[in-house]
Amino acid sequence: MKTKNLFLFLCADALMMTGCNSGSLNTTTPVLKTASDTASYYLGYLQGSGVSQFKMKDFNMQSFVAGMNTGIEKKEIKASNMEMQMFLNNYFQSLQMKLAEDNKKESEEYLAKKAKESGVDTLGNGILYKVEKEGNGPKPTATDMVKVHYKGTLPDGTVFDSSLERKEPAEFALNHVIPGWSKALQNMPVGSKWIIYLPADEAYGSRGNRGIGPNQALTFEVELLDIVTPEVPEGTPNQNKK
């Protein structure tokens, strides 16, 4: 999430519509009896999720509530809206930079450790892989569409995406995915199951993605089920027919 977007989450006018009981700051069990209750809970959840992306470990809930109540009561404070926005932008930019530095160090250490494990080989560009099962089918090309089962995890073991949990294989074209996926799957025969270890440059880079921080290495358990031939809609002329 961009810093400006996070600021808008924290300071949106909708926030002024919510009340807060300072005697129950630590609760995560809402009482949702009315539509207003639900709206308040969702606003709080979205703002909390935004803050958590920046790993703000010293987040002060009491200060947050005090600021919210000050806004609700329309009391003046020393800082102008512009000053508050500039402070928050600078603050979250610094957190993002620190997070990127920490993730880069952690990812480099993680990949260096994996590279020493038995059975782990390299494809180049820092991509590591381990063959769990070797298939005997054809290998896809860069423009092929494939059907796979996969599970993606962060270096700490957190699962951020899984077709296995959804109990439904995923289908996508290899030229529409992150570079490391495309490169690795082009080396996998159909029927293979690999564990792929991707450096950030072969994944989501310094920007990250939803649930994935900047400069994070990623691990994928991937089973290549098939190379998919896109269905041609009925009535489409056969371009190869003379």
Side-chain angles (χ1 to χ4, degrees), residues 17 30 32 41 66 85 118 121 134 137 154 201 207-208 211:
M17 296 165 59
L32 307 180
Y41 179 63
Q85 180 173 347
S118 175
D121 208 340
E134 188 67 57
L154 304 179
D201 290 346
R207 297 185 63 179

Side-chain angles (χ1 to χ4, degrees), residues 20-28:
C20 188
N21 184 345
S22 60
S24 57
L25 295 180
N26 295 321
T27 183
T28 56

Side-chain angles (χ1 to χ4, degrees), residues 8-229:
L8 291 175
F9 262 130
L10 295 172
C11 300
D13 289 341
L15 191 61
M16 299 309 154
M17 296 165 59
T18 65
C20 188
N21 184 345
S22 60
S24 57
L25 295 180
N26 295 321
T27 183
T28 56
T29 306
V31 178
L32 307 180
K33 294 183 177 180
T34 67
S36 179
D37 292 340
T38 302
S40 299
Y41 179 63
Y42 287 172
L43 284 169
Y45 177 85
L46 291 172
Q47 288 141 24
S49 298
V51 171
S52 69
Q53 290 186 31
F54 285 83
K55 308 295 183 182
M56 193 175 172
K57 297 177 181 178
D58 56 349
F59 178 75
N60 189 320
M61 179 61 77
Q62 190 167 0
S63 295
F64 179 83
V65 172
M68 186 164 56
N69 286 336
T70 301
I72 291 172
E73 295 172 13
K74 297 184 178 180
K75 293 182 179 179
E76 291 187 4
I77 63 173
K78 294 180 180 180
S80 66
N81 285 349
M82 180 62 70
E83 288 171 334
M84 287 188 284
Q85 180 173 347
M86 290 178 63
F87 178 89
L88 287 171
N89 284 341
N90 291 335
Y91 180 76
F92 286 116
Q93 283 174 4
S94 67
L95 285 187
Q96 186 78 343
M97 291 174 62
K98 178 66 166 56
L99 179 60
E101 291 173 2
D102 290 346
N103 284 345
K104 182 178 181 181
K105 181 180 179 181
E106 180 187 53
S107 294
E108 289 173 349
E109 293 174 350
Y110 175 76
L111 292 173
K113 181 179 179 180
K114 289 298 178 183
K116 297 177 182 178
E117 292 186 0
S118 175
V120 174
D121 208 340
T122 180
L123 289 174
N125 294 333
I127 301 173
L128 305 174
Y129 71 99
K130 181 177 182 179
V131 179
E132 296 282 284
K133 182 178 72 172
E134 188 67 57
N136 56 12
K139 296 179 181 179
T141 67
T143 57
D144 277 337
M145 180 170 288
V146 296
K147 178 187 287 188
V148 300
H149 257 314
Y150 69 93
K151 179 175 73 173
T153 58
L154 304 179
D156 65 1
T158 301
V159 177
F160 62 85
D161 193 11
S162 175
S163 68
L164 295 169
E165 290 183 0
R166 293 190 293 272
K167 298 180 179 180
E168 183 177 357
E171 295 184 9
F172 48 77
L174 288 185
N175 56 359
H176 290 164
V177 294
I178 55 178
W181 258 76
S182 180
K183 293 171 184 176
L185 266 73
Q186 287 179 67
N187 286 276
M188 293 178 64
V190 169
S192 297
K193 184 177 180 181
W194 286 15
I195 301 177
I196 307 168
Y197 306 96
L198 302 182
D201 290 346
E202 294 291 334
Y204 293 99
S206 60
R207 297 185 63 179
N209 196 29
R210 285 172 289 184
I212 300 169
N215 292 338
Q216 278 200 311
L218 301 178
T219 298
F220 289 95
E221 297 177 21
V222 184
E223 183 175 9
L224 179 54
L225 302 174
D226 200 3
I227 298 172
V228 180
T229 302

